[in-house]
Amino acid sequence: MSAEPADALQPDGRLIEAFLEMMAVERAAAANTLKNYGRDLARFCSFIKKRNETLETAGANDVAAWLEALEAQGLAASTAALKTTALKQFYKFLYTEGYRADNPTASIERPKTRRPLPKILTREEVTALFEAAEAEEGPKGLRLTAMLEILYAGGLRVSELVGLPLSAMRKGERLLIIRGKGGKERLAPLTERAVAAVEAYLDRRADFMKSDASPFLFPSRGKEGHITTARFAQMLKDLAVKAGVTPSKVSPHVLRHAFATHLLDGGADLRSVQQMLGHADITTTQIYTHVAQDRLRDLVMTKHPLARKKGGK
């Protein structure tokens, strides 16, 4: 259904125009946001017009009826939530500016949206990636193996990985000093094999440098001075093909997810995983507990002998 032009909705159209102007001037709203808000408000106008109401007379029951109509259309909760936000901001504006003496959306809640579970890799898929990396010959193979080991052992963000300074890793030590979001530092413990992989790579690190003074652990001859996030992501895609893992499943961030999920599967406590990931809020880390719970449920449903019995057989 196409949105009606604001001019066709007089006098409601003037209220919409005033709201969109405020959003553009005072909130610096993006053009696409303004377009979406205008479209949603025009559709709401069309809906309440059939109920013999206007933007100035519509009540909470009209708003609720519109949201129910959206739900009946089968809209995703996230889409309905965005439309509700547009309506709530609009009526807050009308109330604040004195166009209305009340706000009919004050008691209306945004539809609940569930944060999607992160993609993960199985332990077998991770093992296949490592085996494929170790099969790569020469300096590039050593570098790829070292980066993969650090990423999976420490749960780094890809930006943290590619930008690691040489000083973050000292020979013989099993800790990395990570500078994360907001300049906050944290320690990332490494496995013995990760340390060994980095030390093997360090012997060939000079092959990737254009000078002897690069401050980066993973330097490159490009303008950034270190391997880029895009280049490393492509390296992982190519590695996935060689490992027989679906390339669309593999990315630096998916390996970070795998790190967290596999730790929790192995009995690690949530607070420790939070610290290693560098999450400011533990609720961000809790998403991985849902992944672990889903995996455990699937395991019981598919592997438990009684779960597989049907009809008492």
Side-chain angles (χ1 to χ4, degrees), residues 27-62:
R27 307 273 183 88
N32 195 50
T33 298
L34 296 174
K35 178 182 177 181
N36 290 337
Y37 277 15
R39 179 197 60 211
D40 292 338
L41 291 172
R43 288 177 176 173
F44 178 66
C45 277
S46 297
F47 177 82
I48 59 175
K49 184 177 181 181
K50 297 174 183 177
R51 297 167 64 92
N52 297 317
E53 300 289 352
T54 68
L55 291 176
E56 292 184 89
T57 64
N61 59 324
D62 298 301

Side-chain angles (χ1 to χ4, degrees), residues 3 72 89 98 119 140 145 149 151 168 172 184 189 199 209 214 223 229 241 264 267 273 281 283 304 313:
Q89 290 201 48
K119 295 179 181 179
K140 290 184 178 180
T145 300
E149 288 281 2
L151 190 63
K184 294 181 179 179
E199 290 182 348
M209 297 165 58
S214 175
K223 63 179 181 180
T229 57
V241 173
L264 289 170
V273 175
D281 191 335
T283 57
H304 194 285
K313 297 180 181 180

